[in-house]
C-alpha cells in the first residue's frame, strides 16, 4: 500500500508542476472534508474552494518545478500520509524564486483509490 500512496503523492506534484487543474481534481477527494493549507495562508475546506485556490496559484505562476525529499510515509487501513520537503523553483511576475517548504499530505482510500484529503505546506525559513 505504501507504493500506492507514493504514486498518488507523485500524481499530486506532477499536476502541480504542470498547472493542470483537471489532473489536480483527479487526485483530490471531491468532498467537503478535504483541507488545504498553502504556506502562510489560512485553511481552505472543501474541494470547491481548494480548486479555486489552485486555479489562482496556476494563473499567477509562469513556471514551477518541484522536487521532493520524502521524510516518512505511513499507511494504516484506509488512511496514509507522506511527510516531505518540497524544493520549489518558480517564476512569478518575471522573477525566479527558490523556496523550501515542509509538507504533510494525507490520503484516504475511497472506492478502491487513494485520494488526497489534506495538504499542509509550511515554509522553511532561511
Amino acid at each position: 500500500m505504501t507504493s500506492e500512496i507514493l504514486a498518488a503523492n507523485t500524481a499530486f506534484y506532477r499536476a502541480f508542476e504542470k498547472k493542470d487543474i483537471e489532473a489536480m481534481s483527479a487526485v483530490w477527494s471531491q468532498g467537503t472534508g478535504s483541507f488545504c493549507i498553502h504556506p502562510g495562508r489560512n485553511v481552505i475546506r472543501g474541494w470547491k474552494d481548494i480548486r479555486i485556490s489552485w486555479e489562482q496559484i496556476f494563473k499567477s505562476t509562469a513556471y514551477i518545478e518541484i522536487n521532493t525529499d520524502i521524510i516518512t510515509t505511513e499507511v494504516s487501513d484506509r488512511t496514509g500520509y507522506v511527510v516531505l520537503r518540497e524544493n520549489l523553483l518558480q517564476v512569478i511576475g518575471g522573477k525566479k524564486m527558490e523556496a523550501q517548504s515542509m509538507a504533510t499530505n494525507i490520503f484516504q482510500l475511497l472506492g478502491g483509490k487513494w485520494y488526497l484529503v489534506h495538504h499542509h505546506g509550511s515554509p522553511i525559513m532561511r
Side-chain angles (χ1 to χ4, degrees), residues 57-123:
I57 289 169
F58 295 166
K59 222 182 272 188
S60 67
T61 305
Y63 175 82
I64 190 159
E65 183 179 314
I66 307 163
N67 293 303
T68 59
D69 299 318
I70 304 294
I71 294 168
T72 191
T73 303
E74 296 292 330
V75 181
S76 65
D77 265 349
R78 305 178 66 79
T79 303
Y81 64 84
V82 181
V83 177
L84 56 108
R85 181 179 296 108
E86 301 171 332
N87 303 292
L88 298 104
L89 169 65
Q90 53 192 339
V91 177
I92 298 176
K95 287 187 167 186
K96 178 181 164 183
M97 295 185 286
E98 292 184 50
Q100 285 189 322
S101 295
M102 293 302 298
T104 302
N105 297 323
I106 301 174
F107 297 87
Q108 278 188 333
L109 186 60
L110 304 165
K113 183 180 174 197
W114 290 98
Y115 290 95
L116 186 60
V117 294
H118 181 94
H119 168 74
H120 184 172
S122 179

Side-chain angles (χ1 to χ4, degrees), residues 14-75:
R14 295 304 72 91
F16 191 171
E17 277 188 325
K18 291 178 181 179
K19 302 185 298 179
D20 183 340
I21 197 64
E22 295 311 318
M24 186 68 79
S25 183
V27 172
W28 276 88
S29 169
Q30 305 296 299
T32 57
S34 296
F35 295 89
C36 185
I37 305 170
H38 297 296
R41 300 201 186 152
N42 287 322
V43 66
I44 303 166
R45 182 179 185 146
W47 171 243
K48 181 180 173 186
D49 290 336
I50 292 169
R51 180 186 174 112
I52 291 167
S53 76
W54 285 112
E55 289 172 334
Q56 291 169 343
I57 289 169
F58 295 166
K59 222 182 272 188
S60 67
T61 305
Y63 175 82
I64 190 159
E65 183 179 314
I66 307 163
N67 293 303
T68 59
D69 299 318
I70 304 294
I71 294 168
T72 191
T73 303
E74 296 292 330
V75 181

